[in-house]
């Protein structure tokens, strides 16, 4: 496109110069000497080097093409700036990308953005599924409740009656597990509620393995110095996860900082 424009400009300048020579009577008697080309820094140096002294009409044409070229460069610059402004801010699931987390630790991360990902009643709904984890993991805190009586009293008042009811009717535990695993998907709950339900279910499934190990050595003569630290570790682990999720939900932040569990829950609920 630029080469065609330069060729057209050169022909136009040559025609203008020839017509001016003819009008002044110099076309046949005294030809005008060829001027020396000069080096210019303009984008249209080629046409400018044809004549050292261009007639006014040609000068106006040269300025016109130069201004058009400058306008073209300016428009390209603006278009590049606009293309940089409209960047893709969606992830592979079509959801908005989360901003960079300001505070993080080795296992959990906290997002301090002003924008809340969980709105309104969903904050409380997202906390309910973690009751399943507290019920099924209550037995791992027996040594802690013995060493910390106030904590044992709170467990006895608020959580122990529910635990005893579920142990008396094991079908209740199965129904509650199924309700949290499938209920939010079929009842049209928001994505945040479904995410927390799936994460709570996965945490509850993870408690199966230490429960099986504890039941297998229950009748054996195993030293308490070995059993107590392992049991306390399981309690600390799941209680820390539950507290983190509940606090994040109440603050309106998605609790997606638990390794393995959060990624698995995200894949389980899908992009919508």
């Amino acid at each position: 496109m630029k080469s065609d424009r330069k060729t057209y400009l050169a022909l136009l300048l040559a025609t203008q110069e020839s017509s001016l020579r003819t009008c002044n009577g110099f076309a046949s008697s005294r030809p005008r000497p060829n001027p020396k080309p000069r080096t210019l820094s303009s984008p249209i140096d080629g046409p400018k080097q044809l004549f050292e002294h261009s007639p006014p009409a040609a000068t106006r044409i040269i300025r016109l093409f130069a201004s058009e070229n400058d306008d073209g460069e300016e428009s390209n610059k603006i278009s590049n700036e606009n293309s940089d402004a409209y960047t893709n801010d969606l992830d592979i699931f079509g959801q908005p990308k989360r901003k960079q987390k300001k505070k993080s630790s080795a296992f959990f991360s906290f997002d301090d953005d002003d924008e809340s990902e969980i709105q309104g009643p969903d904050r409380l709904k997202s906390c309910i599924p973690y009751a399943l984890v507290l019920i099924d993991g209550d037995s791992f805190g027996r040594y802690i409740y013995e060493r910390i009586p106030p904590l044992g009293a709170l467990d006895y008042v608020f959580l122990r009656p529910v635990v005893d009811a579920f142990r008396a009717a094991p079908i209740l535990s199965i129904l509650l597990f199924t309700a949290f695993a499938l209920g939010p998907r079929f009842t049209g709950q928001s994505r945040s509620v479904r995410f927390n339900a799936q994460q709570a279910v996965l945490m509850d499934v993870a408690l199966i393995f230490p429960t099986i190990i504890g039941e297998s050595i229950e009748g054996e003569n195993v030293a308490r110095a070995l059993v107590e630290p392992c049991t306390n570790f399981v309690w600390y682990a799941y209680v820390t996860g539950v507290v983190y999720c509940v606090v994040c939900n109440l603050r309106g932040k998605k609790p997606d900082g638990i390794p393995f569990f959060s990624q698995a829950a995200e894949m389980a609920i899908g992009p919508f």
Side-chain angles (χ1 to χ4, degrees):
M1 182 67 181
K2 290 184 178 181
S3 61
D4 295 341
R5 181 178 291 181
K6 291 178 180 179
T7 304
Y8 171 75
L9 181 58
L11 293 176
L12 186 60
L13 291 174
T15 304
Q16 181 70 18
E17 184 69 15
S18 177
S19 62
L20 289 176
R21 288 175 183 174
T22 302
C23 294
N24 294 330
F26 297 107
S28 59
S29 60
R30 189 174 58 186
R32 191 174 182 179
N34 294 328
K36 295 181 180 180
R38 54 180 178 178
T39 303
L40 300 175
S41 59
S42 174
I44 54 174
D45 284 340
K48 279 190 176 182
Q49 291 176 359
L50 292 176
F51 305 100
E52 183 175 3
H53 302 286
S54 300
T59 303
R60 289 196 298 269
I61 295 174
I62 291 174
R63 291 178 180 175
L64 177 61
F65 275 87
S67 63
E68 289 181 356
N69 186 74
D70 294 338
D71 294 340
E73 293 180 354
E74 186 68 21
S75 61
N76 292 335
K77 182 179 179 180
I78 295 175
S79 62
N80 292 333
E81 293 178 353
N82 292 335
S83 62
D84 294 338
Y86 295 99
T87 55
N88 182 19
D89 59 347
L90 301 179
D91 57 12
I92 58 175
F93 298 117
Q95 299 296 326
K97 294 179 180 178
R98 292 182 295 273
K99 297 182 180 179
Q100 185 178 3
K101 295 178 175 55
K102 298 180 181 179
K103 297 181 181 180
S104 60
S105 60
F107 296 96
F108 304 107
S109 57
F110 297 88
D111 192 355
D112 290 339
D113 288 338
D114 295 334
E115 298 178 359
S116 298
E117 297 182 0
I118 306 176
Q119 303 291 338
D122 289 342
R123 297 188 179 188
L124 293 177
K125 292 180 182 179
S126 299
C127 298
I128 295 175
Y130 295 99
L132 177 66
V133 185
L134 295 176
I135 293 172
D136 290 342
D138 182 69
S139 59
F140 293 101
R142 57 183 180 273
Y143 297 113
I144 296 176
Y145 300 149
E146 291 178 3
R147 295 185 179 275
I148 308 177
L151 191 60
L154 291 176
D155 175 75
Y156 181 81
V157 172
F158 294 101
L159 196 58
R160 187 62 58 83
V162 181
V163 173
D164 293 340
F166 275 82
R167 288 179 179 175
I171 189 65
L172 295 178
S173 181
I174 298 176
L175 293 176
L176 186 63
F177 180 89
T178 305
F180 287 143
L182 302 177
R185 181 180 297 273
F186 294 104
T187 55
Q189 298 296 328
S190 64
R191 194 173 190 274
S192 59
V193 176
R194 289 186 283 115
F195 171 82
N196 283 278
Q198 289 296 326
Q199 186 164 251
V201 167
L202 293 174
M203 294 172 64
D204 187 70
V205 170
L207 291 176
I208 294 176
F209 302 101
T211 301
I212 294 175
I213 296 175
E215 291 178 354
S216 63
I217 63 174
E218 187 174 358
E220 303 295 333
N221 188 14
V222 182
R224 178 170 176 169
L226 179 62
V227 177
E228 183 175 354
C230 297
T231 305
N232 292 346
F233 172 78
V234 176
W235 189 87
Y236 286 130
Y238 84 80
V239 169
T240 302
V242 170
V243 171
Y244 162 76
C245 294
V246 171
V247 170
C248 286
N249 287 326
L250 293 179
R251 294 175 58 201
K253 311 299 180 182
K254 186 177 180 180
D256 56 352
I258 303 180
F260 305 111
F261 294 99
S262 296
Q263 290 84 349
E266 196 75 38
M267 295 176 61
I269 64 176
F272 304 107

